[in-house]
């Protein structure tokens, strides 16, 4: 069906940094007053990336951890901290009130989650299940997925 990639997020009104290359990502991280990560696998993956960039010691005091990406969005919208840069799955950022999607992070730093659909053997004779699966492959469904951050 598609894939969900890791993106940056800032509060509405803040300048969204360039995150598209490793150099740009390094600069954005180094320039952030606060770096917001989850304790979930995507946040752990980004922490390893920060270590790989040699920024772990420099950023240690500026990193704030959250259990879920939605909590990063809530914090940004509430605090309106223009110096903070958060990260999470694009689908949990796109269209969320109070925050701005800063774009996908560099491919070399990505943790992409693929999404697929299938019919289980028990539902194989269910015409509604097949119709739904067929719909998921249409241009309309693809457009809906893309509007929520699925690539």
């Amino acid at each position: 069906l598609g894939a969900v990639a890791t993106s940056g997020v800032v509060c509405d009104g803040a300048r969204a940094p360039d995150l598209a290359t490793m150099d740009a990502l390094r600069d954005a991280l180094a320039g952030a007053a606060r770096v917001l990560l989850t304790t979930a696998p995507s946040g752990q993956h980004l922490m390893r990336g920060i270590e790989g960039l040699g920024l772990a010691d420099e950023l240690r005091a500026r990193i704030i951890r959250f259990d879920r990406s939605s909590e990063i969005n809530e914090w940004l919208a509430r605090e309106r901290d223009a110096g903070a840069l958060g990260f999470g799955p694009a689908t949990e950022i796109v269209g969320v009130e109070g925050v701005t999607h800063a774009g996908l992070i560099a491919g070399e730093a990505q943790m992409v989650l693929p999404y697929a659909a299938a019919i289980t053997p028990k539902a194989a004779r269910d015409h509604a299940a097949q119709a739904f699966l067929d719909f998921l492959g249409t241009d309309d469904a693809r457009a809906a997925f893309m509007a929520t951050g699925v690539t």
Side-chain angles (χ1 to χ4, degrees):
L1 297 178
V4 176
T6 303
S7 290
V9 60
V10 296
C11 70
D12 277 352
R15 186 186 66 76
D18 178 11
L19 305 169
T21 66
M22 290 304 286
D23 286 340
L25 179 60
R26 179 184 296 108
D27 291 346
L29 286 163
R34 271 150 299 293
V35 175
L36 314 177
L37 303 174
T38 67
T39 57
S42 62
Q44 302 293 17
H45 178 80
L46 277 168
M47 229 11 253
R48 287 189 296 276
I50 287 169
E51 291 164 0
L53 290 169
L55 295 173
D57 290 337
E58 177 182 341
L59 295 180
R60 191 168 324 281
R62 293 188 263 160
I63 293 174
I64 303 173
R65 302 299 293 264
F66 297 84
D67 289 335
R68 297 180 308 278
S69 296
S70 61
E71 293 172 352
I72 291 174
N73 296 336
E74 291 165 5
W75 188 93
L76 284 165
R78 181 182 64 248
E79 299 298 322
R80 304 204 41 81
D81 183 344
L85 175 59
F87 296 92
T91 53
E92 294 186 28
I93 298 169
V94 173
V96 174
E97 193 172 321
V99 300
T100 298
H101 182 234
L104 299 176
I105 66 170
E108 300 92 329
Q110 272 296 342
M111 182 176 140
V112 178
L113 304 171
Y115 281 78
I119 297 177
T120 63
K122 186 175 180 178
R125 292 182 299 279
D126 184 339
H127 296 292
Q130 184 60 55
F132 180 65
L133 192 63
D134 291 344
F135 168 74
L136 292 177
T138 66
D139 289 342
D140 285 344
R142 187 82 193 115
F145 288 139
M146 291 182 73
T148 63
V150 176
T151 58

